[in-house]
Each structure stands twice: as structure tokens, then as C-alpha cells.
Amino acid sequence: MEEKAAPMVEHKAGFVNIVGNPNVGKSTLMNALVGERLSIITSKAQTTRHRILGIVNGDDFQMVLSDTPGIIKPAYKLQESMMEFVKNAFEDADCILYMVELGEKELKNEAFEKRLTFAEVPVIVLINKIDQGQPSQLEEAVAHWKERLPNAEIFAISALENFGVPQLLERIVEILPVSPAYYPKDTLTDKPERFFVNESIREKILIHYKKEIPYSVEIDTEEFFEDEKIIRIRSVIMVERETQKGIIIGHKGTAIKRVGTEARKDLQKFFGKQVHIELYVKVNKNWRSSEQQLKRFGYKGIHK
């Protein structure tokens, strides 16, 4: 008897975009799904400025995840550009993940609520941080979001503890359309190496500096040389005022040295080899309000 050929498994692929208010755990979720630290995770709001793609590959699927900045009312041109990334996330999605914290009940932007309500693609409301509340709170939250967004599915998760994340991954794969992969199967992200250097340095600044300093900073990696054993990096920390430059450097350079040391350790893990990093600080006045500067740092010319 002839053996029957195994049935062909259809390959699925699509774009899954994570949206929500600042600091609800979007970056934590993407890192949990991708298995790598692609997005900044700190306790401070507005840590994600760009739209970051992380790619999850399986034998029969490819999920292209997009971590977007938190939804805010823009106060200056940088934030306007950040909200463009969020707007675009609605336009090319095959599935939208709308993330809220346990206890959160409001969509702070009416336009986004309408988009979620009338979305033409599946919407999943993720109630995150359920490990921080009581079962009665979760029941109340599920009922609230079922009423608020009746067309959406509801998932309760803890992205940090990885609770509910494998089940969410399975459900998203079910939703994805039949399609060949969009990227080579060994691709982890669409961002270049310098992007992750910049994000690592900016993360350390978010952790160690207070008030307006972290939000006035942009990183420009001017040199990235890699050979077999070592990566040599030269990065400039841009600030808006002379006083901020002094704060970043710190007494006898101790503050900037700490940033460099911690970033180097993280980047050595990320790249899997030795890293040498040099940091400098320059004043770039009002860069957050300059369209020319924002374009230079990748905030303009957003792909649709």
C-alpha cells in the first residue's frame, strides 16, 4: 500500500499591533512574546517613542508584533510624531491588542475608542497586571470591557509573570490570515543594531535621572564597528540645555560612566560578544520641536 502524504499545513502571517495608555505593560508583553528585550521597560511613562517591530516565528506562522508609544495628548512635535506611530498601527493591523491595567476603565481618546469599536479586524482587550489585584476586581473588569467594547475578545494576563501569555499567543495564531512570511524566518526585528544601542542608553537615563531630563534626551550612535571579538560603539547623548549636559555628566563624570557601564553590560548580552562604548554629551537646543531634527532621529517619514 502507498503511504498517504501528510496534509499540507497552511502558513499564517500577519501584523499584530499593541496599543494602549502609557505604562500599561505593552513593551513587557512584546518582550515576553518575542523572547528578547526589544523594548524599554521602566516604571516611567512614555518610554517607547518609536514603533518597534518584534517578530515571532513558528514552523507554520509568523507574527509581526508592533509595540507603539502610549496614547497621550501631544504637547510638542516629538509627541505628535509618536502619536502618528499609534495612528498607523490601526491602519495595517490584522489583529489589534488593546491593553489596559486591571482597574483601568477609561479610553482617554475618543477617536481611538471609535476605531476600536468599529475596527474591521479582530480586537483583543488585554487586562494586564492581574497578579496585582483580587478575583472580584478581575470579574468586574471583564464585565466592564465586554460592555464597553462588545465586539472585542477579553483576555486576562500578567505579561511580567507570563501568565496567560502562551494562551494569548495560540489565539493570535488562530486569528492570523493565511499568508507566506513577510520576513526571513530568522529575523527578530526590523530595527538596525544602532537602534538597540540607542534604546539601551536611553533606558539607563530613564532609570537614573529625574524630572524632565529623560524626556529631553535623544541618542545618536555615530559609530558602530563590529569584528569577530568586539563591537566598538561611539554614541552622543543629545540634550536641550547646557544645565542638562552637566546633570547627565555628573560630578567628575560619575553619572555618565554609570550609564555607559550598565548599557555595555546589557548590549554584551544582546549581541553575544564584548562591547566597548564611548559616550559624549552635546547640546541640541529644542530638538523635540524641530521637524528637521525629528526627521533625523527617525520620527518623521513614517511608513504607512
Side-chain angles (χ1 to χ4, degrees), residues 15-33:
F15 291 81
V16 180
N17 300 336
I18 312 169
V19 296
N21 291 327
N23 210 26
V24 294
K26 299 185 297 296
S27 298
T28 306
L29 174 65
M30 189 172 86
N31 291 339
L33 288 166

Side-chain angles (χ1 to χ4, degrees), residues 228-229 231 266-275:
E228 268 186 55
K229 294 183 179 178
I231 300 171
D266 280 359
L267 291 168
Q268 285 182 164
K269 285 182 190 173
F270 187 80
F271 291 118
K273 65 171 63 177
Q274 190 179 344
V275 169

Side-chain angles (χ1 to χ4, degrees), residues 133-152:
Q134 301 299 319
S136 58
Q137 286 178 278
L138 179 55
E139 287 173 19
E140 185 184 331
V142 170
H144 171 81
W145 288 108
K146 275 185 176 175
E147 184 180 350
R148 192 75 181 260
L149 296 170
N151 295 328

Side-chain angles (χ1 to χ4, degrees), residues 5-229:
M8 291 285 289
V9 178
E10 290 183 310
H11 189 279
K12 294 184 165 190
F15 291 81
V16 180
N17 300 336
I18 312 169
V19 296
N21 291 327
N23 210 26
V24 294
K26 299 185 297 296
S27 298
T28 306
L29 174 65
M30 189 172 86
N31 291 339
L33 288 166
V34 176
E36 295 280 350
R37 292 186 74 239
L38 300 183
S39 291
I40 286 181
I41 305 169
T42 78
S43 59
K44 296 184 180 180
Q46 297 175 42
T47 50
T48 301
R49 286 181 177 171
H50 293 265
R51 187 176 171 192
I52 302 168
L53 296 189
I55 301 165
V56 185
N57 290 296
D59 290 339
D60 57 354
F61 74 90
Q62 183 177 81
M63 182 189 307
V64 185
L65 285 159
S66 172
D67 176 19
T68 60
I71 298 166
I72 54 172
K73 187 175 180 180
Y76 41 83
K77 284 191 181 293
L78 168 62
Q79 292 182 337
E80 286 175 15
S81 182
M82 287 160 61
M83 289 307 96
E84 279 294 314
F85 287 119
V86 180
K87 180 182 172 185
N88 289 348
F90 279 89
E91 292 174 1
D92 64 8
D94 293 298
C95 173
I96 295 168
L97 306 180
Y98 180 71
M99 199 168 199
V100 298
E101 284 185 339
L102 183 63
E104 185 181 331
K105 293 188 174 179
E106 292 302 317
L107 288 97
K108 295 177 182 177
N109 185 304
E110 284 184 24
F112 284 112
E113 181 166 5
K114 281 186 179 178
R115 284 183 163 225
L116 288 167
T117 303
F118 299 106
E120 295 179 2
V121 297
V123 174
I124 299 177
V125 174
L126 301 178
I127 303 171
N128 191 30
K129 306 184 183 180
I130 61 169
D131 52 313
Q132 298 177 14
Q134 301 299 319
S136 58
Q137 286 178 278
L138 179 55
E139 287 173 19
E140 185 184 331
V142 170
H144 171 81
W145 288 108
K146 275 185 176 175
E147 184 180 350
R148 192 75 181 260
L149 296 170
N151 295 328
E153 290 185 49
I154 314 289
F155 265 76
I157 67 167
S158 170
L160 189 63
E161 301 296 333
N162 207 40
F163 178 82
V165 175
Q167 292 83 354
L168 172 64
L169 178 63
E170 284 180 19
R171 179 60 186 135
I172 295 170
V173 172
E174 287 175 6
I175 288 170
L176 291 179
V178 174
S179 169
Y182 289 94
Y183 295 89
K185 279 297 190 96
D186 59 353
T187 306
L188 186 69
T189 179
D190 69 327
K191 296 294 184 187
E193 288 96 337
R194 292 183 192 220
F195 176 83
F196 294 102
V197 173
N198 297 349
E199 288 292 274
S200 181
I201 296 165
R202 197 165 66 83
E203 178 186 52
K204 305 313 171 193
I205 291 170
L206 278 157
I207 291 168
H208 292 301
Y209 296 84
K210 297 178 181 178
K211 297 181 180 176
E212 182 65 9
I213 293 287
Y215 304 104
S216 303
V217 162
E218 184 58 63
I219 315 301
D220 183 19
T221 294
E222 295 183 335
E223 294 179 3
F224 184 99
F225 296 117
E226 182 174 7
D227 60 31
E228 268 186 55
K229 294 183 179 178

Side-chain angles (χ1 to χ4, degrees), residues 255-280:
I256 194 172
K257 185 177 180 182
R258 177 171 62 180
V259 168
T261 299
E262 292 185 7
R264 177 178 56 78
K265 288 177 181 175
D266 280 359
L267 291 168
Q268 285 182 164
K269 285 182 190 173
F270 187 80
F271 291 118
K273 65 171 63 177
Q274 190 179 344
V275 169
H276 173 78
I277 187 165
E278 293 179 23
L279 294 181
Y280 300 86

